[in-house]
Amino acid sequence: MTEPLRLSKRMSELGLCSRREADEWIAQGWVRVDGVVVSELGSKVLPHQKITVERQASAQQAKRVTVLINKPMGFVSGQAEDGYKPAVTLITPEARWKEDKAPIQFHPSQLRSLVPAGRLDIDSVGLLVLTQDGRIAKQLIGEDTAIEKEYLVRVKYGKPGRLPDADLRLLNHGLSLDGKKLLPAKVQWQNEDQLRFVLKEGKKRQIRRMCEAVGLKVLGLKRVRIGNVKLGDLPTGQWRYLRADERF
């Protein structure tokens, strides 16, 4: 027998929404299983059962925004901490990039439930995604995500000469953090003091710790791409909406 799953978990697996959204929709009576409305939280379904959502749920989801920020140094990605401001405070009408072509009007309600989909630490800059859409959050930070993140990293080698090729190969594959092997990465020199990292995972301070492991000190770290979405010419401290035609 196939085991029943929580309805909200199954909806998330199917890419319909996040679990939190699923619970909201179930409570509103917007979810049907095999054509029958299911409004009890914690309800379970079998994998073969057909799940559909009412138009109101799709309409609500369509209004959810995703924002791209060029995060400056000194801002935290999520909740305020140690006196540092969260990046969401940068999202004001004045700081919206003049070149933003998205036909969306800013409204303060868009700041509600706007969460970072992947973090940048306080000393790092570049592309940060904040979203109200649980599907995008799951796509970017879910356990099985395979979306690439690209960084430009300025480094200084702590020993005489240059970083040995063997250590560069280690950065590409062979290092472990917290007792767990890292996934293969793409790491190559851009110029004399700058490396380009492309990762498919994002452990806490991963790049800085990888560099430390081979004797490199990180002097600057900038994220320039997530999947197919690039930072491009977005100025530091400014933001724009993810366009309808853009996909990570």
Side-chain angles (χ1 to χ4, degrees):
M1 284 287 288
T2 308
E3 287 293 312
L5 291 169
R6 274 183 77 106
L7 176 55
S8 56
K9 183 171 192 283
R10 181 65 179 146
M11 289 171 70
S12 171
E13 281 180 358
L14 292 169
L16 295 171
C17 57
S18 69
R19 288 201 207 184
R20 189 176 66 188
E21 281 174 319
D23 282 336
E24 284 174 20
W25 295 356
I26 291 164
Q28 295 268 14
W30 291 348
V31 179
R32 292 175 182 264
V33 177
D34 292 338
V36 178
V37 172
V38 175
S39 56
E40 190 177 327
L41 293 177
S43 296
K44 297 197 170 183
V45 292
L46 291 166
H48 69 269
Q49 291 187 282
K50 187 179 180 186
I51 300 167
T52 52
V53 295
E54 302 292 338
R55 277 203 305 270
Q56 299 99 305
S58 303
Q60 187 191 72
Q61 200 171 46
K63 289 180 190 167
R64 301 204 160 159
V65 298
T66 296
V67 168
L68 312 175
I69 300 179
N70 186 346
K71 186 186 93 65
M73 205 174 284
F75 283 80
V76 291
S77 298
Q79 299 294 319
E81 54 185 78
D82 301 331
Y84 292 106
K85 288 184 177 178
V88 71
T89 59
L90 294 165
I91 303 173
T92 64
E94 300 74 30
R96 183 176 179 181
W97 189 29
K98 300 285 188 287
E99 301 285 317
D100 187 0
K101 300 288 195 292
I104 303 173
Q105 197 166 354
F106 174 76
H107 191 273
S109 66
Q110 293 165 358
L111 300 176
R112 282 202 300 271
S113 308
L114 199 61
V115 295
R119 294 175 181 272
L120 269 181
D121 66 46
I122 196 162
D123 302 318
S124 302
V125 301
L127 182 58
L128 180 68
V129 177
L130 298 177
T131 187
Q132 292 178 316
D133 191 331
R135 294 168 303 173
I136 286 177
K138 183 173 186 286
Q139 189 183 29
L140 298 189
I141 56 176
E143 286 176 21
D144 52 355
T145 183
I147 290 184
E148 290 185 342
K149 287 98 177 171
E150 181 178 340
Y151 304 80
L152 296 178
V153 186
R154 203 155 54 85
V155 293
K156 182 180 179 184
Y157 191 42
K159 299 173 188 174
R162 279 177 64 83
L163 181 76
D165 289 343
D167 285 345
L168 183 63
R169 286 195 293 274
L170 264 183
L171 287 172
N172 277 272
H173 193 209
L175 291 177
S176 298
L177 288 183
D178 306 322
K180 197 173 177 187
K181 280 261 188 205
L182 293 175
L183 295 176
K186 296 177 197 163
V187 186
Q188 59 197 62
W189 288 105
Q190 288 289 99
N191 53 46
E192 273 188 17
D193 67 348
Q194 187 168 259
L195 286 163
R196 172 178 170 267
F197 276 73
V198 178
L199 306 179
K200 287 189 178 177
E201 59 190 333
K203 296 187 185 299
K204 193 170 182 182
R205 298 179 78 82
Q206 178 171 337
I207 290 175
R208 294 175 191 277
R209 292 165 72 197
M210 288 171 74
C211 287
E212 279 170 20
V214 295
L216 291 170
K217 182 177 181 182
V218 171
L219 304 177
L221 191 154
K222 182 178 189 177
R223 183 157 63 201
V224 295
R225 177 174 66 86
I226 299 176
N228 294 319
V229 176
K230 294 179 179 176
L231 179 65
D233 297 324
L234 182 62
T236 303
Q238 293 188 26
W239 63 274
R240 69 174 179 88
Y241 291 106
L242 183 74
R243 298 191 311 269
D245 66 322
E246 288 182 295
R247 295 286 180 275
F248 287 101

